[in-house]
Amino acid sequence: MDYEAKFEEAIDALKAEGRYRVFMEIGRRKGAFPNARHYDGDAERDIIVWCSNDYLGMGQHPDVIAAMEEALHTNGAGAGGTRNISGTNHYHVLLERELAELHNKEAALLFTSGYISNDATLSTIAKILPDCIVYSDELNHASMIEGVRHSGQKKLIFRHNDVEHLEELLAQSDPDVPKLIAFESVYSMDGDIAPIKEFCDLADKYGAMTYLDEVHAVGLYGEYGGGVAEREGLMDRISIIEGTLGKAFGVMGGYITGTKNIIDVVRSYAPGFIFTTSLSPVLAAGALASIRYVKHAGDLRVKHQERAATLKQMFRDADLPVMESVSHIVPVWVGDPSLCKQVSDELMQKFGIYVQPINYPTVPRGTERLRFTPSPNHTDEMMQDLVVALNVVWESLKITRAA
Ligand SMILES: *Cc1c(COP(=O)(O)O)cnc(C)c1O
């Protein structure tokens, strides 16, 4: 067997389809976000980042930086072990307490990423419930899909945000088997939001548990940044709320919150939690400082929404195909993988504007798009420059202006 040839073949298949991933090498500039530096071989240039998930710029916040410096100089670099073997740091405990409070739950559990938190929790919870059926939104994140798969339990996929379809599937199932409905609040590629209340009503009616991924909503929605469920007064109706510390909180790590028993069972049974070195105390301290700040930063949330609304309106006024979105996500339709990549390349090369092309499998084929995430740090001037650049590229590549 020519192993190398096999690997090359697999890579060539991606290239032929125009979805081979090229990573942009950037240097972030603390205090100047979204300004950054692009490294391209020997060449370097200043750029504006338009696709970061550091939604509020908390990755450079002085409180966060100071907390991380303090933790680094008192605790050192790493946690030094798994949670069970010398790796439960004081910062982890403080952070879990803070997270439980943020979502008004009894307890919380930290993971090294949001991905791991979804995979570890869904697989463990569904596996522990005998013959559990998992009802999963068709657009759920890869980490949730993997978690359900690893549970080995039966999965029923309901059409995206479709209450009727979910009810149809629930009604067909044996009323006596355990059920888990898994979905997200803000879907990050379209910017739409799940009908959380209606899903909770169905969960009550059919005796199901609910699992809500609020990764793209924590820090951003609700009076204290608890997410869409907080905004809608529904946190207590969700069995497990999952989130990340790597997006709006600007640091790294993932977590779940729920009842003491749920947290204890995942803590005790999930390999993805047990057999890995715990989060660096430096990261935990940074995340803790970030949450404490963001909790009381309603003004930042207002500004964030205003920036997104302003950019959407500017795109509409310029007749650019901005997609329907009820959140802070601003997707612009291209509809072709090669073209999408080409737009992104031209924006970078000619204008120093960085927006990553979003292609399959992140979004369905034929719905390729650019996904803009304006933060409170993106100015009117940056937006005007962006619109000018997009218009030039749209003309030169003859792209449709219909969303
Ligand atoms: C990014 C993302 C995750 C994973 O979170 P990380 O902390 O980046 O690992 C989980 N769910 C959704 C919906 C995401 O977009």
Side-chain angles (χ1 to χ4, degrees):
M1 166 71 84
D2 184 348
Y3 293 106
E4 287 299 317
K6 278 284 166 216
F7 297 137
E8 227 172 273
E9 215 175 276
I11 290 163
D12 287 345
L14 294 177
K15 286 183 176 163
E17 238 192 287
R19 59 184 190 94
Y20 178 69
R21 291 173 185 217
V22 180
F23 296 157
M24 287 289 172
E25 180 180 340
I26 70 169
R28 304 188 74 192
R29 287 167 51 195
K30 178 172 75 76
F33 178 76
N35 289 282
R37 198 96 173 129
H38 177 222
Y39 299 85
D40 188 11
D42 291 334
E44 281 182 35
R45 72 180 300 181
D46 288 331
I47 57 163
I48 304 288
V49 178
W50 277 100
C51 53
S52 176
N53 283 335
D54 186 358
Y55 291 127
L56 301 175
M58 288 306 292
Q60 64 176 16
H61 194 278
D63 286 10
V64 176
I65 303 299
M68 294 179 79
E69 281 179 341
E70 154 99 19
L72 178 64
H73 292 293
T74 55
N75 281 251
T82 63
R83 284 295 291 268
N84 191 43
I85 307 176
S86 90
T88 293
N89 193 274
H90 185 49
Y91 285 115
H92 295 144
V93 177
L94 294 178
L95 180 53
E96 284 174 342
R97 208 173 288 160
E98 188 73 37
L99 288 164
E101 196 178 295
L102 178 68
H103 295 289
N104 201 23
K105 297 285 181 198
E106 287 175 9
L109 196 66
L110 275 174
F111 299 82
T112 45
S113 75
Y115 186 102
I116 305 280
S117 66
N118 274 334
D119 186 12
T121 306
L122 283 165
S123 58
T124 301
I125 291 291
K127 195 183 287 177
I128 277 174
L129 300 168
D131 300 321
C132 181
I133 302 175
V134 183
Y135 303 81
S136 180
D137 187 288
E138 68 178 334
L139 291 190
N140 275 347
H141 191 258
S143 54
M144 299 170 81
I145 296 170
E146 284 301 302
V148 176
R149 201 168 63 80
H150 289 148
S151 76
Q153 300 286 29
K154 181 170 168 184
K155 173 171 82 169
L156 297 175
I157 297 173
F158 58 92
R159 285 189 294 273
H160 179 53
N161 284 348
D162 190 330
V163 179
E164 276 177 29
H165 190 215
L166 173 59
E167 171 144 36
E168 202 180 301
L169 296 176
L170 285 163
Q172 285 167 5
S173 307
D174 179 345
D176 295 327
V177 304
K179 301 176 180 67
L180 177 62
I181 305 170
F183 59 108
E184 303 177 21
S185 57
V186 175
Y187 282 82
S188 75
M189 294 302 152
D190 293 285
D192 57 342
I193 293 180
I196 303 176
K197 182 185 174 296
E198 286 75 7
F199 285 171
C200 290
D201 291 344
L202 286 181
D204 288 347
K205 184 170 171 188
Y206 293 92
M209 287 180 67
T210 45
Y211 184 99
L212 178 60
D213 174 321
E214 288 249 44
V215 160
H216 291 279
V218 291
L220 305 178
Y221 297 88
E223 191 181 351
Y224 298 104
V228 179
E230 190 207 8
R231 180 183 79 181
E232 297 177 2
L234 297 167
M235 287 196 296
D236 60 341
R237 298 190 62 193
I238 305 289
S239 317
I240 300 170
I241 296 177
E242 183 269 348
T244 185
L245 304 169
K247 291 173 183 172
F249 293 126
V251 189
M252 188 187 181
Y255 66 89
I256 56 165
T257 64
T259 62
K260 281 202 174 94
N261 284 328
I262 288 173
I263 299 308
D264 209 12
V265 95
V266 177
R267 187 185 73 86
S268 308
Y269 281 93
F273 173 80
I274 298 171
F275 299 105
T276 188
T277 301
S278 59
L279 208 60
S280 160
V282 179
L283 297 171
L288 181 62
S290 184
I291 296 166
R292 285 182 176 164
Y293 180 86
V294 167
K295 244 190 345 191
H296 300 292
D299 53 334
L300 207 54
R301 278 184 278 283
V302 170
K303 174 93 175 166
H304 180 230
Q305 292 298 319
E306 177 276 318
R307 292 287 73 194
T310 299
L311 186 63
K312 284 178 200 170
Q313 192 54 50
M314 286 171 76
F315 283 169
R316 268 185 232 114
D317 292 346
D319 202 20
L320 287 160
V322 60
M323 295 163 69
E324 202 69 46
S325 157
V326 294
S327 69
H328 58 283
I329 313 277
V330 186
V332 171
W333 180 271
V334 180
D336 176 89
S338 305
L339 205 51
C340 201
K341 167 101 175 53
Q342 221 175 325
V343 176
S344 169
D345 287 347
E346 288 209 7
L347 286 171
M348 183 62 113
Q349 282 153 18
K350 292 190 183 150
F351 301 95
I353 285 172
Y354 175 31
V355 61
Q356 190 66 27
I358 308 288
N359 289 351
Y360 177 83
T362 307
V363 296
R365 285 194 176 86
T367 73
E368 291 80 7
R369 67 198 68 173
L370 304 172
R371 172 185 177 272
F372 297 90
T373 51
S375 73
N377 304 61
H378 287 79
T379 63
D380 281 342
E381 199 191 346
M382 289 172 189
M383 292 187 183
Q384 284 148 11
D385 291 347
L386 173 62
V387 169
V388 168
L390 283 172
N391 270 324
V392 170
V393 175
W394 243 248
E395 285 311 310
S396 78
L397 297 177
K398 299 187 171 42
I399 308 170
T400 178
R401 286 183 180 267

